[in-house]
Amino acid sequence: MKQTILILEDEPLILDEVRETLIDDGFEVLASGTADEMWAMADNQRIDLFVLDLMLPDGNGLQIAKTIRQKSDVGIIILTGKKGETDRVVGLEIGADDYVTKPFSPRELSARVASVLRRTKGSFYPGDRQGDPNKAEIVAFAGWILDLGARHLLAPGGDGVHLTTAEFELLSTFIEGPNRVLSRDYLMDRVHGRDWAGYDRGIDGVVSRLRKKLKPGDGEPDIIKTVRGAGYMFTPKVGVP
Ligand code: CA
């Protein structure tokens, strides 16, 4: 039986190249350009390994890797940018089996796919997410509840709080790496994309708007700490509600 690889990559040229190479190497390949497309495929057939790009038009690959890993031991390889050291560290911590740094040769990726498949035993099956489709995507911190799928934030008192797209991306990036200093560069990449250039203060504005919305109660510690000269740190414990 052929093993099925699902690739999620929004750059069509890379997607095509990788797909062709993996097909040549004898794999069954499913190619998707958006997170929605990917879930539609993964909820319908067995997947033996995921190849996940991180920056996507409708989601983020680290969050997707985390959701998959919570449900399955399937192989996961992430695709990161050259400067993506934090992505790689967080990705491996979340449970990705390996990473490939862009630009990469499809042959190298295919070799890593084969190597990860030799090590991993599990697959991802339709219905793996259906036991509790939303739970994996809802997280809690310091009394707040964030639904990453619906992009809903609930304050400790239960009131809904509106987040802009940038504020949501920033908060979900913090949630992947709590208690870790995240540099402005890293946050900027994740919030605005790798094409973002200059405007060093840009991320500070988003942080200060998010901070205003996440105001801690009297005497409670700051949720987002400034680490002078280094970046920002998200201090609460992140768990399930
Ligand atoms: Ca991308």
Side-chain angles (χ1 to χ4, degrees), residues 22-220:
L22 290 174
I23 289 172
D24 284 350
D25 289 347
F27 298 108
E28 196 76 56
V29 179
L30 298 171
S32 54
T34 65
D36 272 356
E37 235 179 344
M38 189 226 66
W39 285 124
M41 291 171 175
D43 287 340
N44 272 302
Q45 66 182 97
R46 187 197 85 242
I47 308 296
D48 299 305
L49 185 141
F50 290 86
V51 175
L52 303 172
D53 182 32
L54 299 189
M55 301 277 303
L56 299 158
D58 65 338
N60 123 29
L62 286 174
Q63 189 54 48
I64 293 168
K66 197 169 169 184
T67 303
I68 293 170
R69 182 55 81 232
Q70 275 163 352
K71 297 290 178 179
S72 157
D73 292 328
V74 66
I76 301 174
I77 296 178
I78 56 172
L79 303 177
T80 75
K82 216 185 274 170
K83 291 193 303 178
E85 190 195 348
T86 310
D87 283 337
R88 293 192 280 275
V89 172
V90 173
L92 294 174
E93 279 179 4
I94 283 171
D97 298 287
D98 203 354
Y99 60 81
V100 174
T101 305
K102 291 180 178 181
F104 58 86
S105 86
R107 298 240 70 87
E108 180 196 351
L109 175 64
S110 186
R112 284 178 190 252
V113 164
S115 146
V116 168
L117 282 171
R118 280 194 296 273
R119 289 188 271 135
T120 49
K121 294 280 172 276
S123 297
F124 190 88
Y125 293 93
D128 271 0
R129 245 181 8 129
Q130 281 154 24
D132 196 353
N134 295 313
K135 196 170 172 211
E137 300 207 331
I138 299 182
V139 295
F141 58 91
W144 296 77
I145 293 177
L146 179 67
D147 183 331
L148 291 154
R151 305 190 161 215
H152 259 145
L153 178 65
L154 288 182
D159 290 338
V161 175
H162 174 76
L163 295 177
T164 63
T165 303
E167 289 159 3
F168 172 81
E169 294 300 340
L170 179 65
L171 181 55
S172 52
T173 302
F174 276 134
I175 276 167
E176 284 159 13
N179 258 305
R180 168 196 300 281
V181 180
L182 300 174
S183 71
R184 285 187 170 77
D185 269 1
Y186 176 68
L187 294 170
M188 196 108 79
D189 274 356
R190 295 292 304 275
V191 171
H192 294 292
R194 300 208 187 280
D195 300 333
W196 182 261
Y199 305 110
D200 200 37
R201 309 291 299 171
I203 201 68
D204 295 345
V206 185
V207 169
S208 92
R209 288 196 298 276
L210 181 60
R211 237 182 206 155
K212 250 177 226 152
K213 293 186 179 178
L214 294 179
K215 225 170 171 33
D218 281 342
E220 302 281 325

